Amino acid sequence: MLVLFETAAGYAIFKVLDEQKLQQVDSLWKEFETPEKANKVVKLKHFEKFQDTTEALAAATAMVEGKLGKSLKKVLKKVVAKEAHEQLAITDAKLGGVIKEKLNLSCVHSPAVAELMRGIRNQMEGLITGLPAREISAMSLGLAHSLSRYKLKFSPDKVDTMIVQAISLLDDLDKELNNYIMRCREWYGWHFPELGKIITDNLAYCKSVRKIGDRTNVASMDLSDILPEEIEAEVKLAAEISMGTEVLDISVIEISEYRSQLYDYLKNRMMAIAPNLTVMVGELVGARLISHAGSLLNLAKHPASTVQILGAEKALFRALKTRRDTPKYGLIYHASLVGQTTAKNKGKISRMLAAKSALAIRYDALGEDTNAEMGVENRAKLEARLRYLEEKGIRRISGSGKALARADKYQHKSDVKVYDPSGDSTLPTVSKKRKIEEVEEGEEEEKPVEAKAKKVKRESPTEEAETETPKKKKKKEKKKAEEESKPEEEETAISPAEEVRGVER
């Protein structure tokens, strides 16, 4: 039986001298207590050394993924194929299936083989000749670093794993800083309560506390490097009349400084890995989106609708369960473009921002360029759209719909005005056509409008006499008398002009 043993320095092929000892699995470890005993069980037949770390990494990654690497295939064809009747003991059953399929070699994997591999690893320095222990340890360390970088998908251009950890650490530091500052203000407030109202900045407050210590030292202390002159004078005045008690020194300045360094690191990493996403939503929001998705590549697989509500999953499922309106935004709500718009337009802007951000993420994750031109161009479009929506809302509030329509349809026309000489004449100038129209209109006005006579139901004389009351009879008689007297008045009527002439005579 042959044994395939993988090391950081290369591949080793051993020959099992006594196969009967493999049947005693529980006591097999006793055969590898010393190098002399181990040499009686197995013997080194061939050792294929790696040329450099790159070859070792390629072989190790192929072994991890259960594939047959080039160097291993070369060794098996060179050594094992000569003894095809022999079985090959291996550590990975998946790799054994690949070897059997490609090279038609019978492979063995069992608990006895695993115990044999453990014994060989224990006495590796004595079994593999010509390879010093120091060299084996150096190769193992180099391969371990290279394999770790490969598993982390390390790349100087796209270190999204570091971004995920950095934003998580930044959030933790913010929480811790808030707790420390709150405790510092609370505890030191017992000693110098007036200082918290005078100094509102947390970092300046902590620096002042560390430098002042006891409030009695304020009078003889220079705080100009921390505070402005006006605030320094106010602090010194408040220290003289303060009624606080004694307290120990507290400081959180080192953590605040580390937090600023970490933020600078995160900003630089985001601009190197996802420049277009950083331009669209900012460093912190972009890093939180990557952290929430797991990696930049996973985030690139999400559609724009998912990017829009990423971080609001709990609200989404609650809305679906209760049959209410689903959320319009998640982590993207903290982007500057969404924050500067009105509440009415936040949903529209978040939807448009998510659509453009999804394109930027895919460009950053899968594109070869590292510039931010696409992000700058899309952000300019979104800002123009935001201005249009804001102006439209203001105009809608200030004017009516007709006024807006007139303003939209307005076109500037530059007409040249010509002098009209008709204004120089004092005579009335009326066209013939106008005179004819006025005459025709006058004739139409003089024609009396004939009212349509209403149809009256005829009744017999006997019925009229029965139905008419004394009042109605009087009204009829009066009406008839008025109608008879009208023609006589018209005949005898004299015009006003004739009256005037009669008076002159």
Side-chain angles (χ1 to χ4, degrees):
M1 178 185 286
L2 299 177
V3 180
L4 174 63
F5 186 74
E6 307 94 5
T7 67
Y11 290 111
I13 305 293
F14 290 97
K15 173 76 175 178
V16 180
L17 301 176
D18 190 359
E19 295 185 12
Q20 293 181 355
K21 291 182 179 180
L22 296 179
Q23 296 176 0
Q24 302 172 359
V25 181
D26 296 336
S27 61
L28 186 60
W29 62 273
K30 294 179 181 179
E31 303 295 332
F32 290 91
E33 288 180 344
T34 60
E36 292 77 13
K37 286 184 178 181
N39 282 315
K40 292 178 182 179
V41 180
V42 292
K43 182 183 178 181
L44 181 65
K45 189 172 183 180
H46 179 76
F47 183 75
E48 186 73 21
K49 189 177 180 180
F50 296 131
Q51 298 296 325
D52 51 12
T53 310
T54 306
E55 187 180 353
L57 178 62
T61 51
M63 194 76 67
V64 169
E65 295 172 0
K67 296 178 181 179
L68 187 62
K70 291 182 179 180
S71 56
L72 179 58
K73 191 175 183 180
K74 182 181 177 182
V75 171
L76 293 176
K77 281 184 177 181
K78 185 178 180 181
V79 180
V80 183
K82 294 179 181 178
E83 301 179 13
H85 62 282
E86 293 279 357
Q87 289 183 333
L88 182 65
I90 56 169
T91 54
D92 190 4
K94 187 179 180 181
L95 180 63
V98 177
I99 293 172
K100 188 175 181 180
E101 182 183 350
K102 296 286 180 68
L103 302 175
N104 198 19
L105 297 173
S106 60
C107 300
V108 180
H109 177 73
S110 62
V113 173
E115 193 68 25
L116 178 64
M117 295 290 183
R118 192 176 294 112
I120 294 172
R121 189 176 295 108
N122 190 28
Q123 298 296 335
M124 183 173 58
E125 296 176 6
L127 293 172
I128 301 175
T129 56
L131 196 64
R134 186 175 180 181
E135 191 174 346
I136 292 175
S137 62
M139 288 181 172
S140 300
L141 183 62
L143 181 60
H145 284 301
S146 301
L147 193 61
S148 299
R149 289 192 189 97
Y150 173 78
K151 286 186 176 180
L152 287 171
K153 296 179 181 179
F154 181 81
S155 170
D157 297 328
K158 300 186 185 301
V159 197
D160 53 356
T161 308
M162 303 302 177
I163 286 178
V164 172
Q165 295 185 0
I167 190 64
S168 301
L169 181 58
L170 193 67
D171 291 339
D172 293 341
L173 280 177
D174 285 338
K175 291 178 184 177
E176 292 298 322
L177 275 172
N178 288 335
N179 290 333
Y180 290 152
I181 290 165
M182 182 179 66
R183 289 172 184 172
C184 179
R185 284 182 174 274
E186 183 181 354
W187 292 347
Y188 195 75
W190 290 99
H191 177 65
F192 193 0
E194 294 82 5
L195 187 67
K197 296 178 180 178
I198 298 170
I199 304 174
T200 56
D201 183 64
N202 293 325
L203 187 59
Y205 181 85
C206 294
K207 286 182 179 179
S208 303
V209 168
R210 184 175 68 174
K211 192 167 184 179
I212 292 169
D214 195 344
R215 68 171 184 270
T216 56
N217 302 327
V218 177
S220 61
M221 192 170 289
D222 183 19
L223 299 174
S224 58
D225 56 336
I226 303 172
L227 304 174
E229 293 181 2
E230 301 83 7
I231 298 178
E232 183 184 1
E234 196 173 349
V235 168
K236 289 182 178 181
L237 182 62
E240 295 177 359
I241 59 173
S242 179
M243 298 295 291
T245 59
E246 297 298 326
V247 75
L248 297 174
D249 294 337
I250 304 166
S251 179
V252 292
I253 298 165
E254 290 80 6
I255 301 176
S256 299
E257 292 174 352
Y258 177 65
R259 195 257 180 205
S260 62
Q261 293 175 6
L262 182 64
Y263 178 69
D264 293 337
Y265 167 78
L266 182 66
K267 219 169 17 176
N268 296 332
R269 283 289 87 203
M270 281 296 295
M271 283 305 296
I273 293 166
N276 294 286
L277 177 62
T278 305
V279 170
M280 293 298 298
V281 298
E283 300 90 6
L284 293 178
V285 177
R288 287 195 174 94
L289 287 172
I290 294 173
S291 175
H292 199 82
S295 67
L296 184 64
L297 192 61
N298 289 345
L299 184 62
K301 295 176 184 177
H302 292 323
S305 57
T306 306
V307 174
Q308 182 181 351
I309 60 169
L310 207 64
E313 290 84 2
K314 193 181 288 185
L316 173 66
F317 291 120
R318 192 191 306 122
L320 292 173
K321 189 176 180 181
T322 56
R323 295 183 180 179
R324 293 184 179 178
D325 293 338
T326 54
K328 295 179 181 178
Y329 26 68
L331 292 170
I332 209 170
Y333 177 80
H334 301 285
S336 59
L337 279 173
V338 180
Q340 67 188 14
T341 186
T342 56
K344 186 178 181 181
N345 296 325
K346 282 187 188 295
K348 292 180 182 178
I349 290 297
S350 63
R351 185 177 66 250
M352 291 185 285
L353 180 61
K356 297 296 183 184
S357 299
L359 294 176
I361 292 162
R362 290 166 192 166
Y363 189 82
D364 290 333
L366 307 173
E368 296 180 357
D369 299 334
T370 56
N371 54 23
E373 293 178 2
M374 178 188 177
V376 172
E377 185 180 350
N378 287 335
R379 186 178 176 89
K381 289 180 181 178
L382 286 177
E383 287 176 351
R385 179 65 178 166
L386 176 60
R387 284 195 300 272
Y388 172 75
L389 290 173
E390 296 292 338
E391 291 171 2
K392 188 177 179 182
I394 293 168
R395 284 190 297 159
R396 186 170 292 171
I397 293 168
S398 60
S400 63
K402 291 182 179 178
L404 285 173
R406 269 190 254 110
D408 291 339
K409 291 179 181 178
Y410 173 78
Q411 292 181 354
H412 180 69
K413 296 179 182 178
S414 57
D415 295 335
V416 180
K417 294 184 178 181
V418 182
Y419 178 71
D420 186 11
S422 62
D424 296 339
S425 176
T426 57
L427 297 174
T429 55
V430 183
S431 61
K432 294 180 179 180
K433 187 177 180 181
R434 177 66 180 164
K435 286 182 177 180
I436 293 166
E437 288 176 357
E438 287 178 357
V439 171
E440 289 177 355
E441 286 176 4
E443 289 176 357
E444 287 175 3
E445 287 174 3
E446 288 176 0
K447 288 181 181 179
V449 180
E450 295 179 357
K452 292 183 179 180
K454 294 182 180 179
K455 292 183 180 180
V456 182
K457 188 178 179 181
R458 292 181 179 180
E459 297 179 355
S460 60
T462 54
E463 288 178 356
E464 286 180 358
E466 290 176 1
T467 54
E468 281 184 355
T469 57
K471 287 184 179 180
K472 286 183 178 181
K473 287 180 180 180
K474 286 182 180 180
K475 283 182 180 180
K476 276 187 177 184
E477 291 174 358
K478 192 176 181 180
K479 202 171 183 180
K480 283 180 181 180
E482 286 175 358
E483 287 176 355
E484 289 174 356
S485 62
K486 271 183 182 179
E488 294 176 0
E489 288 176 1
E490 287 177 359
E491 289 175 2
T492 57
I494 300 169
S495 63
E498 290 176 354
E499 286 180 358
V500 172
R501 289 173 188 170
V503 170
E504 288 177 356
R505 287 175 185 174

